[in-house]
Amino acid sequence: MNIRDYVAEVANFPKRGVTFYDISGILAHAQAWAYTIDTLAEAIAPHRPQFLAGIESRGFLLAAPLAYKLGCGFLLIRKHGRLPGRTISYTYSLEYGTDTLEIQSGRVTAGDTVVAVDDILATGGTLSASIKLLRQCGAHVPMAAGIMELLDLGGREKLGLPFHALMVV
């Protein structure tokens, strides 16, 4: 199956000069969605993770069914202030300022194997920060995965670990 057939390119969204890759076509097509989950599960399974960490917000769409399929737990990595209870935070630099990601305290213990999951790897800033947050919690993060990698933006180099994508643009 060519998963690219189900991803729409939307020019100048959310702002002029940006191309948005819309994965909702994958979600809407049962066979494309099954192929996406099954193929990503095959790539992740050899690492035997205790958890998959979904990165806000489209990473949640992938990580939750993948965790179910793989028989492991699902963790939320969210922007600051969106998780209840005690959290562990990681602040990182953006082009113009900073942002903070959080995970609930006590969800990950030292030595847990966690795979980070997001929809698209672009510049790598958020995914890299998520990996650092997981490692700050003591997790072993052997890889990350997603639907797509935007190769020209060089995000893979920031990760310091393998990234599995179904398609590269």
Side-chain angles (χ1 to χ4, degrees), residues 67-148:
Y68 173 77
K69 183 165 185 73
L70 292 168
C72 63
F74 167 59
L75 304 170
L76 300 170
I77 295 181
R78 302 214 57 191
K79 293 186 178 182
H80 175 70
R82 296 187 179 168
L83 289 171
R86 287 188 20 195
T87 60
I88 299 169
S89 302
Y90 183 84
T91 300
Y92 63 105
S93 296
L94 299 168
E95 189 174 345
Y96 299 104
T98 62
D99 206 351
T100 301
L101 295 175
E102 295 180 328
I103 191 167
Q104 288 177 313
S105 183
R107 295 285 186 228
V108 178
T109 58
D112 285 342
T113 299
V114 182
V115 172
V117 178
D118 207 355
D119 63 328
I120 296 172
L121 174 59
T123 64
T126 302
L127 187 53
S128 175
S130 297
I131 292 163
K132 289 175 183 171
L133 173 60
L134 290 165
R135 287 179 174 159
Q136 179 180 308
C137 295
H140 166 63
V141 185
M143 71 168 299
I147 294 173
M148 176 186 315

Side-chain angles (χ1 to χ4, degrees), residues 12 24 26 43 47 58 61 69 96 103 129 139 147 151 159 163:
N12 299 313
S24 61
I26 294 171
H47 297 281
R58 293 188 299 174
L61 295 171
K69 183 165 185 73
Y96 299 104
I103 191 167
I147 294 173
L151 195 60
L159 302 184
F163 180 79

